[in-house]
Every structure is written in C-alpha cells, then in structure tokens.
C-alpha cells in the first residue's frame, strides 16, 4: 500500500515571496504519478501540477514547480511570487500507473496562508 | 470547458436514513471515483468504477455503500443507513485514459 506524508500542517508566506511545501511518499511501484492539489475555502479540488515518475525533469506550471527526488521518494512544491489567491490547503497525492481505475492516495495536507 | 457536476451541494439527513448523492461525470470519461473528506481531514478514497463495475474499494466502503451508473451519464453513491460519522464532503471524480482526475465541487452531507 502507498502512503503519502506531509509533515507541515501549516505554513505562512508573505506576498511575492517563495514557499516550499514538503511531501514524501512510500511505494514499491516503479511507475506512478504524483500530484499537488489545491483546495481553497470553497473546498473544490484543483489540480496544480503533476509529475510522471519516469520523467527525470521536474514539472513546472507558471509560478509552481516541483522538486522530484525519486530515490528519496520526495516531491516538494515550490510556489514563487506568492499571491493572496494561493491561500488554500495543498494536498500531495500519489497514483500508480494502471490500465484499470487507479485511486489517488492523499497526504494530510498543508494549510498555506499568504499574507500582505 | 466540460466539468464534473454534483447534486445536491448540501444534504441534511437524519441518522438511519438513506441518501443518494448524484454526480454527472465528464462525457466520454471512462473511470469514475468517489472520495470523502471529513471536515479538517484528508481526502480518502472510497471506490472506483470502470467498465460498469467496481474496480477497487476501500475498507470504508462497506455494505452500507453502493454505486451505480444507471443511465450512462449519472454516477450515484448510495448510503443505505446513514451514521453520524458519515458526515463529510463527498467528491466525485472522473478520468479519461489520461492521468488527471477531474473533481466535482462536492456534496456536503450532514447526518443529524
């Protein structure tokens, strides 16, 4: 079974600064995907960024980037130039590669507060 | 842009009552999921559905729960006899052959 661990329950960052959210996971799978989801107060789950485990290059989406360390089973999210709208819960998630329906396994989340 | 929809947005029920939560996945998606999130906790997998049958379920998904795709567009989650601990946000998600699961806005279930 897979487990996902987010060790930072809460973080705070000032607007325009950079913040890094940590995530580690445990799996015996070799092919899988990793995701970061954002959950604002509306509680909608919004995909922020994804990483395929077979790709060595770290994924980037505008101000969001990841540091994927496969051997260390680490998948951190860096948010650059933080904006007030980034205030939300952030969940790290794991999905194994499969031709059948594959579930997402989520971490416990990090609550990010962006302040003025 | 296509999106997953869920109804109702909020359901209040008495303990022991049956509830049906409804989802309309994105058209032509193949894989369907239900997740739940108890307030302040992480999102937990309940069940996945593919090719008109359950492909995986968690230990939470006991005999009180069932899923159906009755008409090729709706995807429902039924809880036969609700308990207080079933109070949570329930999310439906769907996926095509790609790796992204698209989530609906959720149904908040309150069991009194």
């Amino acid at each position: 079974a897979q487990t996902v661990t987010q060790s930072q329950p809460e973080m705070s960052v000032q607007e325009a600064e950079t913040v890094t959210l940590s995530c580690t996971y445990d799996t015996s799978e070799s092919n899988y995907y990793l995701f970061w989801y954002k959950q604002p107060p509306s509680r909608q789950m919004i995909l922020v960024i994804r990483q395929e485990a077979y790709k060595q290059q770290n994924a980037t989406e505008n101000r969001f980037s990841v540091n994927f360390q496969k051997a260390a089973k680490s998948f951190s999210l860096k948010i650059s130039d933080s904006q007030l709208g980034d205030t939300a819960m952030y969940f790290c998630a794991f999905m194994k590669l499969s031709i059948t329906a594959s579930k997402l396994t989520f971490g416990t989340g990090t609550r990010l507060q962006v302040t003025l | 842009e296509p999106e997953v929809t869920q109804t109702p947005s909020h359901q209040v029920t008495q303990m022991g009552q049956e509830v049906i939560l409804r989802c309309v996945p994105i058209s032509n998606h193949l894989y369907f999921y239900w997740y739940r999130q108890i307030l302040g906790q992480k999102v937990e997998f309940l069940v996945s559905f593919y090719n008109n049958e359950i492909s995986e379920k968690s230990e939470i998904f006991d005999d009180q729960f069932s899923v159906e795709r009755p008409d090729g567009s709706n995807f429902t989650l039924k809880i036969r006899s609700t308990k207080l601990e079933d109070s949570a946000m329930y999310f439906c998600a769907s996926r095509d052959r790609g790796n992204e699961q698209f989530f609906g806005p959720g149904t908040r279930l309150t069991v009194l």
Side-chain angles (χ1 to χ4, degrees):
Chain A
Q2 287 71 230
T3 59
V4 178
T5 302
Q6 293 179 251
S7 57
Q8 305 153 314
E10 292 185 6
M11 293 199 68
S12 181
V13 63
Q14 285 194 314
E15 201 178 19
E17 297 295 305
T18 295
V19 64
T20 299
L21 308 183
S22 301
C23 173
T24 58
Y25 60 95
D26 190 26
T27 184
S28 57
E29 303 285 338
S30 55
N31 293 317
Y32 50 87
Y33 296 97
L34 295 162
F35 304 86
W36 279 98
Y37 279 87
K38 170 184 177 181
Q39 188 179 45
S42 67
R43 300 189 76 179
Q44 175 81 47
M45 296 292 287
I46 302 165
L47 179 64
V48 174
I49 197 166
R50 84 193 83 185
Q51 174 80 42
E52 293 91 339
Y54 61 86
K55 288 189 178 177
Q56 291 187 331
Q57 187 172 7
N58 289 322
T60 299
E61 288 285 344
N62 301 314
R63 298 182 294 107
F64 299 88
S65 61
V66 298
N67 183 2
F68 174 49
Q69 303 287 330
K70 191 172 184 180
K73 296 189 175 135
S74 169
F75 182 61
S76 60
L77 173 70
K78 185 170 84 169
I79 305 174
S80 304
D81 185 26
S82 297
Q83 299 175 0
L84 295 177
D86 295 334
T87 293
M89 279 290 283
Y90 286 82
F91 292 97
C92 178
F94 172 101
M95 186 175 88
K96 74 176 182 181
L97 187 61
S98 171
I99 60 171
T100 60
S102 289
K103 66 182 181 186
L104 285 164
T105 300
F106 288 89
T108 51
T110 296
R111 184 176 305 279
L112 177 67
Q113 180 72 46
V114 181
T115 59
L116 290 169
Chain B
E1 189 174 322
E3 57 184 18
V4 177
T5 59
Q6 290 185 242
T7 53
S9 57
H10 189 194
Q11 173 91 48
V12 181
T13 190
Q14 296 290 325
M15 192 169 57
Q17 295 296 304
E18 174 184 288
V19 294
I20 297 175
L21 309 183
R22 291 183 166 79
C23 169
V24 180
I26 294 173
S27 174
N28 77 19
H29 277 195
L30 302 171
Y31 305 94
F32 313 105
Y33 307 83
W34 283 102
Y35 295 86
R36 81 169 185 192
Q37 184 184 31
I38 294 171
L39 187 63
Q41 297 187 22
K42 69 177 178 180
V43 179
E44 299 174 290
F45 167 76
L46 290 177
V47 65
S48 57
F49 195 85
Y50 169 68
N51 204 24
N52 287 319
E53 60 184 18
I54 291 174
S55 52
E56 188 176 3
K57 59 183 180 180
S58 72
E59 54 276 8
I60 302 168
F61 194 87
D62 60 22
D63 291 343
Q64 293 299 311
F65 292 87
S66 62
V67 288
E68 261 193 331
R69 189 159 158 77
D71 55 11
S73 62
N74 290 283
F75 180 50
T76 61
L77 174 69
K78 182 178 1 182
I79 309 174
R80 287 191 185 80
S81 179
T82 49
K83 307 185 194 73
L84 294 175
E85 54 265 37
D86 293 328
S87 293
M89 194 78 162
Y90 288 80
F91 292 101
C92 173
S94 70
R95 176 169 75 91
D96 59 13
R97 295 190 190 279
N99 55 56
E100 181 178 354
Q101 293 187 23
F102 292 81
F103 281 79
T107 292
R108 185 154 69 102
L109 176 65
T110 302
V111 182
L112 302 176

